[in-house]
Amino acid sequence: MPTHVLQSVLPGLLQQVPTTLLYWFVPSAIALLLGTLLCIVRVGQHRALYWACTVFISFFRGTPGIVQIYIIFFGLPKLLWIVHVDIDGWPAGAYFIIATSLNLSCFVCEVLKGGYLGVDHGQIEAGKSIGFGRFQNFFRVIAPQTLQVSILNLKNLEIDVLKDTSVAYTIGAMEILGYANRVISNQFGVGQLWILGLAAIIYFILCALLELGFTAASHHMERHGRRS
């Protein structure tokens, strides 16, 4: 790799790492909360809410993520303008976060639903038998075991989300790939392969660190489960 490319481009790419992580972390946190709520509805008994959530999930799982980003980016300001709310001044990254949060929450819901169905319901009944209320039973019995069953699938989702932050530049949100493309454009394509290679290495390192974190959390949960 030419030294001048490394010295001139790498610092700028590294400056975009916090923004990239922000575009990963905020949707992940929102999706975990919203996905949990969707999961509760999906395993509950309220049929109207169940079918409403099913349609919502089917749409976001059955349409391309990039299309959803464009719909939110172009459509949300027009929708809110109907009720006299002006969000035209919002940064592009906010629309990316909203679209990614909605999309990811649907996949999180399905992962958590699978984890919930994998929990031994005898333990849920045991929690009730020792006096746990609905919320106490959820937080002390159901949620920890569901998360333990689901964590490896959640790891795969989160790695995909971190990689998919690279499409944020399509609506003007600057992150690692967006910066790389801007440099390539300014240089009229000179050093394109090297610049994209640097960006790929940074994404690879971030994803590897994320995978290590999830693997460590999974092992911790397994050890804690055995002690319990």
Side-chain angles (χ1 to χ4, degrees):
M1 179 178 295
T3 304
H4 72 279
V5 173
L6 188 66
Q7 292 176 343
S8 63
V9 177
L10 183 59
L13 290 174
L14 293 177
Q15 286 179 359
Q16 302 304 319
V17 169
T19 304
T20 299
L21 292 177
L22 178 70
Y23 291 162
W24 160 73
F25 177 78
V26 175
S28 296
I30 295 173
L32 182 60
L33 175 60
L34 182 56
T36 300
L37 295 176
L38 290 172
C39 180
I40 291 172
V41 173
R42 291 270 283 171
V43 299
Q45 303 298 320
H46 197 293
R47 303 311 296 174
L49 288 178
Y50 172 87
W51 285 111
C53 288
T54 298
V55 172
F56 176 83
I57 292 169
S58 296
F59 174 80
F60 279 96
R61 293 184 68 200
T63 55
I66 188 66
V67 174
Q68 297 165 19
I69 291 171
Y70 283 138
I71 289 174
I72 295 296
F73 182 67
F74 293 110
L76 187 60
K78 292 181 173 59
L79 179 64
L80 292 181
W81 183 251
I82 296 174
V83 293
H84 305 291
V85 176
D86 184 7
I87 60 171
D88 283 335
W90 282 15
Y95 298 99
F96 176 80
I97 288 173
I98 293 171
T100 304
S101 299
L102 295 174
N103 177 281
L104 180 59
S105 65
C106 297
F107 289 91
V108 169
C109 169
E110 294 303 293
V111 168
L112 293 180
K113 180 184 175 184
Y116 171 79
L117 295 176
V119 174
D120 183 358
H121 281 253
Q123 297 191 42
I124 299 176
E125 295 301 322
K128 294 178 181 178
S129 69
I130 62 176
F132 284 174
R134 174 182 297 182
F135 291 102
Q136 193 175 18
N137 207 28
F138 175 80
F139 285 107
R140 299 190 64 175
V141 179
I142 299 174
Q145 295 189 53
T146 298
L147 188 59
Q148 183 176 347
V149 174
S150 306
I151 190 166
L152 293 181
N153 288 326
L154 288 174
K155 176 187 72 174
N156 294 330
L157 279 181
E158 292 300 332
I159 290 175
D160 285 342
V161 172
L162 182 54
K163 291 186 295 184
D164 287 346
T165 57
S166 60
V167 304
Y169 83 95
T170 59
I171 58 171
M174 187 59 62
E175 39 66 61
I176 294 171
L177 185 58
Y179 179 83
N181 281 326
R182 187 173 70 178
V183 173
I184 291 169
S185 177
N186 291 339
Q187 297 182 174
F188 302 101
V190 176
Q192 179 179 25
L193 185 60
W194 296 115
I195 295 169
L196 292 176
L198 279 175
I201 291 171
I202 294 173
Y203 282 117
F204 172 76
I205 292 173
L206 292 177
C207 289
L209 292 174
L210 182 60
E211 183 168 9
L212 287 174
F214 268 92
T215 300
S218 176
H219 291 162
H220 174 75
M221 288 181 178
E222 289 178 1
R223 290 195 300 270
H224 180 76
R226 286 195 294 268
R227 287 197 300 268
S228 300

PDB file of all heavy atoms in Angstrom, residues 47 53 63 66 77 97 133 136 149 162 177 202 210 226:
ATOM      1  N   ARG A  47     -55.413 -10.932  19.744  1.00  0.00           N
ATOM      2  CA  ARG A  47     -55.361 -11.256  18.328  1.00  0.00           C
ATOM      3  C   ARG A  47     -55.199 -10.028  17.435  1.00  0.00           C
ATOM      4  O   ARG A  47     -54.471 -10.058  16.438  1.00  0.00           O
ATOM      5  CB  ARG A  47     -56.630 -12.023  17.925  1.00  0.00           C
ATOM      6  CG  ARG A  47     -56.896 -13.287  18.708  1.00  0.00           C
ATOM      7  CD  ARG A  47     -55.673 -14.190  18.792  1.00  0.00           C
ATOM      8  NE  ARG A  47     -55.263 -14.688  17.480  1.00  0.00           N
ATOM      9  CZ  ARG A  47     -54.170 -15.399  17.274  1.00  0.00           C
ATOM     10  NH1 ARG A  47     -53.346 -15.663  18.273  1.00  0.00           N
ATOM     11  NH2 ARG A  47     -53.869 -15.824  16.055  1.00  0.00           N
ATOM     12  N   CYS A  53     -48.959  -6.506  14.466  1.00  0.00           N
ATOM     13  CA  CYS A  53     -47.509  -6.707  14.558  1.00  0.00           C
ATOM     14  C   CYS A  53     -47.010  -7.621  13.442  1.00  0.00           C
ATOM     15  O   CYS A  53     -45.919  -7.422  12.906  1.00  0.00           O
ATOM     16  CB  CYS A  53     -47.135  -7.287  15.919  1.00  0.00           C
ATOM     17  SG  CYS A  53     -47.275  -6.122  17.274  1.00  0.00           S
ATOM     18  N   THR A  63     -39.036  -6.435   2.618  1.00  0.00           N
ATOM     19  CA  THR A  63     -38.641  -5.390   1.674  1.00  0.00           C
ATOM     20  C   THR A  63     -37.173  -5.042   1.910  1.00  0.00           C
ATOM     21  O   THR A  63     -36.679  -5.146   3.040  1.00  0.00           O
ATOM     22  CB  THR A  63     -39.499  -4.129   1.837  1.00  0.00           C
ATOM     23  OG1 THR A  63     -39.447  -3.685   3.209  1.00  0.00           O
ATOM     24  CG2 THR A  63     -40.947  -4.409   1.473  1.00  0.00           C
ATOM     25  N   ILE A  66     -32.529  -0.911   1.994  1.00  0.00           N
ATOM     26  CA  ILE A  66     -32.210   0.361   1.338  1.00  0.00           C
ATOM     27  C   ILE A  66     -33.484   1.063   0.883  1.00  0.00           C
ATOM     28  O   ILE A  66     -33.577   2.294   0.945  1.00  0.00           O
ATOM     29  CB  ILE A  66     -31.255   0.128   0.142  1.00  0.00           C
ATOM     30  CG1 ILE A  66     -30.772   1.449  -0.430  1.00  0.00           C
ATOM     31  CG2 ILE A  66     -31.915  -0.729  -0.932  1.00  0.00           C
ATOM     32  CD1 ILE A  66     -29.899   2.241   0.489  1.00  0.00           C
ATOM     33  N   PRO A  77     -40.654  13.223   6.326  1.00  0.00           N
ATOM     34  CA  PRO A  77     -40.892  14.680   6.402  1.00  0.00           C
ATOM     35  C   PRO A  77     -42.239  15.080   5.798  1.00  0.00           C
ATOM     36  O   PRO A  77     -42.934  15.950   6.346  1.00  0.00           O
ATOM     37  CB  PRO A  77     -39.725  15.266   5.593  1.00  0.00           C
ATOM     38  CG  PRO A  77     -38.658  14.235   5.667  1.00  0.00           C
ATOM     39  CD  PRO A  77     -39.380  12.923   5.648  1.00  0.00           C
ATOM     40  N   ILE A  97     -31.016   6.096  11.199  1.00  0.00           N
ATOM     41  CA  ILE A  97     -31.229   5.453  12.495  1.00  0.00           C
ATOM     42  C   ILE A  97     -32.674   4.992  12.643  1.00  0.00           C
ATOM     43  O   ILE A  97     -32.942   3.876  13.118  1.00  0.00           O
ATOM     44  CB  ILE A  97     -30.826   6.417  13.633  1.00  0.00           C
ATOM     45  CG1 ILE A  97     -29.300   6.558  13.673  1.00  0.00           C
ATOM     46  CG2 ILE A  97     -31.361   5.936  14.975  1.00  0.00           C
ATOM     47  CD1 ILE A  97     -28.809   7.604  14.649  1.00  0.00           C
ATOM     48  N   GLY A 133     -44.613 -12.506  40.573  1.00  0.00           N
ATOM     49  CA  GLY A 133     -45.654 -11.881  39.773  1.00  0.00           C
ATOM     50  C   GLY A 133     -45.274 -11.914  38.307  1.00  0.00           C
ATOM     51  O   GLY A 133     -44.200 -12.396  37.926  1.00  0.00           O
ATOM     52  N   GLN A 136     -42.046  -9.841  37.663  1.00  0.00           N
ATOM     53  CA  GLN A 136     -40.916 -10.465  38.340  1.00  0.00           C
ATOM     54  C   GLN A 136     -40.522 -11.765  37.632  1.00  0.00           C
ATOM     55  O   GLN A 136     -39.329 -12.045  37.447  1.00  0.00           O
ATOM     56  CB  GLN A 136     -41.269 -10.741  39.804  1.00  0.00           C
ATOM     57  CG  GLN A 136     -40.063 -11.099  40.665  1.00  0.00           C
ATOM     58  CD  GLN A 136     -40.442 -11.242  42.122  1.00  0.00           C
ATOM     59  OE1 GLN A 136     -41.613 -11.404  42.458  1.00  0.00           O
ATOM     60  NE2 GLN A 136     -39.460 -11.180  43.004  1.00  0.00           N
ATOM     61  N   VAL A 149     -30.576 -18.134  25.134  1.00  0.00           N
ATOM     62  CA  VAL A 149     -30.851 -18.955  23.957  1.00  0.00           C
ATOM     63  C   VAL A 149     -30.639 -18.146  22.671  1.00  0.00           C
ATOM     64  O   VAL A 149     -30.194 -18.681  21.650  1.00  0.00           O
ATOM     65  CB  VAL A 149     -32.293 -19.508  24.008  1.00  0.00           C
ATOM     66  CG1 VAL A 149     -32.641 -20.232  22.712  1.00  0.00           C
ATOM     67  CG2 VAL A 149     -32.461 -20.438  25.201  1.00  0.00           C
ATOM     68  N   LEU A 162     -23.844  -3.652  11.822  1.00  0.00           N
ATOM     69  CA  LEU A 162     -22.612  -2.868  11.795  1.00  0.00           C
ATOM     70  C   LEU A 162     -22.087  -2.739  10.365  1.00  0.00           C
ATOM     71  O   LEU A 162     -21.659  -1.656   9.943  1.00  0.00           O
ATOM     72  CB  LEU A 162     -21.563  -3.528  12.696  1.00  0.00           C
ATOM     73  CG  LEU A 162     -20.212  -2.815  12.824  1.00  0.00           C
ATOM     74  CD1 LEU A 162     -20.400  -1.362  13.245  1.00  0.00           C
ATOM     75  CD2 LEU A 162     -19.320  -3.557  13.811  1.00  0.00           C
ATOM     76  N   LEU A 177     -17.503   4.369   4.875  1.00  0.00           N
ATOM     77  CA  LEU A 177     -17.558   4.211   3.421  1.00  0.00           C
ATOM     78  C   LEU A 177     -17.917   5.524   2.736  1.00  0.00           C
ATOM     79  O   LEU A 177     -17.420   5.814   1.639  1.00  0.00           O
ATOM     80  CB  LEU A 177     -18.566   3.127   3.039  1.00  0.00           C
ATOM     81  CG  LEU A 177     -18.622   2.776   1.551  1.00  0.00           C
ATOM     82  CD1 LEU A 177     -17.267   2.307   1.053  1.00  0.00           C
ATOM     83  CD2 LEU A 177     -19.681   1.722   1.276  1.00  0.00           C
ATOM     84  N   ILE A 202     -11.008  -1.714   8.327  1.00  0.00           N
ATOM     85  CA  ILE A 202     -11.599  -1.105   9.527  1.00  0.00           C
ATOM     86  C   ILE A 202     -12.916  -1.789   9.876  1.00  0.00           C
ATOM     87  O   ILE A 202     -13.172  -2.119  11.047  1.00  0.00           O
ATOM     88  CB  ILE A 202     -11.805   0.408   9.312  1.00  0.00           C
ATOM     89  CG1 ILE A 202     -10.454   1.104   9.167  1.00  0.00           C
ATOM     90  CG2 ILE A 202     -12.588   1.010  10.485  1.00  0.00           C
ATOM     91  CD1 ILE A 202     -10.555   2.573   8.794  1.00  0.00           C
ATOM     92  N   LEU A 210     -16.691  -6.917  17.797  1.00  0.00           N
ATOM     93  CA  LEU A 210     -18.078  -7.132  18.196  1.00  0.00           C
ATOM     94  C   LEU A 210     -18.351  -8.616  18.415  1.00  0.00           C
ATOM     95  O   LEU A 210     -19.013  -9.001  19.389  1.00  0.00           O
ATOM     96  CB  LEU A 210     -19.015  -6.565  17.124  1.00  0.00           C
ATOM     97  CG  LEU A 210     -20.515  -6.667  17.400  1.00  0.00           C
ATOM     98  CD1 LEU A 210     -20.888  -5.932  18.680  1.00  0.00           C
ATOM     99  CD2 LEU A 210     -21.305  -6.110  16.222  1.00  0.00           C
ATOM    100  N   ARG A 226     -24.905 -22.359  34.641  1.00  0.00           N
ATOM    101  CA  ARG A 226     -24.496 -23.609  35.291  1.00  0.00           C
ATOM    102  C   ARG A 226     -24.435 -23.445  36.808  1.00  0.00           C
ATOM    103  O   ARG A 226     -24.790 -24.344  37.566  1.00  0.00           O
ATOM    104  CB  ARG A 226     -23.142 -24.064  34.750  1.00  0.00           C
ATOM    105  CG  ARG A 226     -23.204 -24.640  33.336  1.00  0.00           C
ATOM    106  CD  ARG A 226     -21.933 -25.381  33.018  1.00  0.00           C
ATOM    107  NE  ARG A 226     -20.781 -24.486  32.956  1.00  0.00           N
ATOM    108  CZ  ARG A 226     -20.350 -23.909  31.844  1.00  0.00           C
ATOM    109  NH1 ARG A 226     -20.970 -24.120  30.691  1.00  0.00           N
ATOM    110  NH2 ARG A 226     -19.284 -23.116  31.851  1.00  0.00           N
TER     111      ARG A 226
END
